[in-house]
Amino acid sequence: MTTDLAHHLERCGLRVTQPRLTLLEFFAGTGGHFTPEEISERLRASGTPLSIATLYQNLRTFSEHGLIGEMTGPGGEARYDTNLDPHSHLVCLRCGRMVDIVLDLPELGAAAQGRGWAVTRARVDLHGVCPECQTQAARERRGD
């Protein structure tokens, strides 16, 4: 797998370094919307820690080269996403969990273009309470 990841970096015009391979391996083996701190902790726990400066530098580089998506999480924090297909998110207002969903919103593009806009991308996040937090809240109300 490391050879495939190295070739992927080269195809993107990036120099192959061990920290970049480590980070690509992390993203290839996970899915989700991670903060730099969460990534750092998971890498440390797996025995492949990166310095925080190296991590931030490579996250920025990967984002600039389209290897990962950068977004703002529910608390205003930077989060990184490996799902590069157009998608939206369900965001839990209680625990902050984010889940990818695909919405079909063709009227948004047509409405914007009717006003002279050329829409190049759209992001819609739906906020609510996830099933787990709903269950927890019900237990708390019952005094369980």
Side-chain angles (χ1 to χ4, degrees):
M1 176 154 106
T2 301
T3 304
D4 292 339
L5 295 175
H7 289 307
H8 188 59
L9 286 171
E10 290 169 347
R11 282 191 303 274
C12 291
L14 295 172
R15 194 167 42 91
V16 177
T17 65
Q18 189 56 53
R20 287 180 178 167
L21 290 172
T22 297
L23 197 52
L24 274 185
E25 285 175 5
F26 167 80
F27 283 123
T30 59
H33 310 86
F34 299 100
T35 65
E37 293 76 17
E38 290 168 338
I39 296 167
S40 179
E41 181 55 37
R42 286 181 181 223
L43 290 175
R44 189 176 310 110
S46 71
T48 55
L50 295 179
S51 76
I52 200 71
T54 298
L55 177 62
Y56 273 97
Q57 180 182 37
N58 283 295
L59 289 171
R60 181 175 45 254
T61 298
F62 284 7
S63 179
E64 289 170 353
H65 283 82
L67 296 172
I68 57 175
E70 183 176 351
M71 57 183 288
T72 303
E77 71 283 2
R79 291 191 172 264
Y80 295 90
D81 189 357
T82 56
N83 182 354
L84 300 177
D85 294 328
H87 66 282
S88 297
H89 300 100
L90 292 171
V91 181
C92 182
L93 295 169
R94 189 166 176 175
C95 69
R97 180 175 159 211
M98 300 178 76
V99 177
D100 292 348
I101 59 171
V102 176
L103 297 176
D104 185 21
L105 303 170
E107 68 278 0
L108 289 179
Q113 290 179 15
R115 293 188 167 92
W117 286 74
V119 176
T120 58
R121 97 183 134 196
R123 180 174 157 197
V124 176
D125 291 338
L126 305 173
H127 296 83
V129 180
C130 72
E132 290 83 4
C133 287
Q134 290 177 52
T135 301
Q136 172 102 19
R139 283 188 195 129
E140 290 170 0
R141 283 192 300 272
R142 289 192 312 263
D144 293 353

